[in-house]
Amino acid sequence: MEKPNSQSKLLMILFGPTTTVSNETVIDWRLFCDNVIASQQLAKAIVKPLSDVLYLLMTTQNFYDKRYRWSQYDVFNVLEELSTIPEPWSFDNFVYLLLYRPQLIPISLVARMNHSYIEEACLMFNSFMTISYRWNMNLDEVVRQPLMQTMRALSKDRGRHFYNNICDSYAKQLKDLSALGEEGAEDLAVLIASHASLGSLIQDMSGSLW
């Protein structure tokens, strides 16, 4: 199997965004690094194709011939390489990549937890909540199953660590946004509403640990 870097570059060439330079269409390698794709419609057009092909790689686990199967480890490596070409993507763009195919969420979260990147995992969790809410996605449909799958894949200790840090991170965000007054009012409202809409999920995550 080729190195993930080569594979992820190929995915960008085949499915990534393009731009025009001197009347020629070329791959826009820096778009996801230098810009946050603010429009949901645009994100669907240029991010979702990459999400879709990563998901298709996951489905090869069902292939009869083992030579053509991609393990979760393989998919994770390509996912990480893809989101750092040519430099790390903006965090929101990376979250979009996962949200358009939520089956990718457990792969990314579990790997981070198992390698002690707890703060990044918690930031991802909160971003799943707020971005889904802003884009009027059905949070229960989009994130419940992948997050519960994540909890089942973690050891009890890591699961508790993840859950406790999610709660701590949420409390810190509430405090920080509240301190901004009117400047942070909109983001504060979104944060509260998005978490409130998934109160049952938070309870289920907690219940799975005891």
Side-chain angles (χ1 to χ4, degrees), residues 98-115:
L98 301 179
L99 281 177
Y100 276 119
R101 281 294 183 176
Q103 298 89 341
L104 298 169
I105 290 175
I107 293 176
S108 193
L109 281 179
V110 170
R112 280 167 172 75
M113 287 301 303
N114 286 339
H115 290 86

Side-chain angles (χ1 to χ4, degrees), residues 127-157:
S127 295
F128 294 148
M129 301 295 108
T130 55
I131 291 173
S132 297
Y133 183 83
R134 286 184 184 277
W135 284 5
N136 294 315
M137 293 179 168
N138 186 319
L139 273 73
D140 198 57
E141 289 183 1
V142 173
V143 300
R144 172 178 286 277
Q145 182 174 342
L147 288 175
M148 290 306 298
Q149 183 179 340
T150 298
M151 297 302 289
R152 289 191 293 269
L154 296 173
S155 67
K156 292 290 186 182
D157 285 344

Side-chain angles (χ1 to χ4, degrees), residues 30-50:
R30 298 201 59 86
L31 178 65
F32 297 136
C33 309
D34 298 339
N35 304 275
V36 174
I37 310 302
S39 162
Q40 183 179 5
Q41 183 177 2
L42 181 58
K44 186 174 183 179
I46 64 177
V47 179
K48 188 175 183 295
L50 291 166

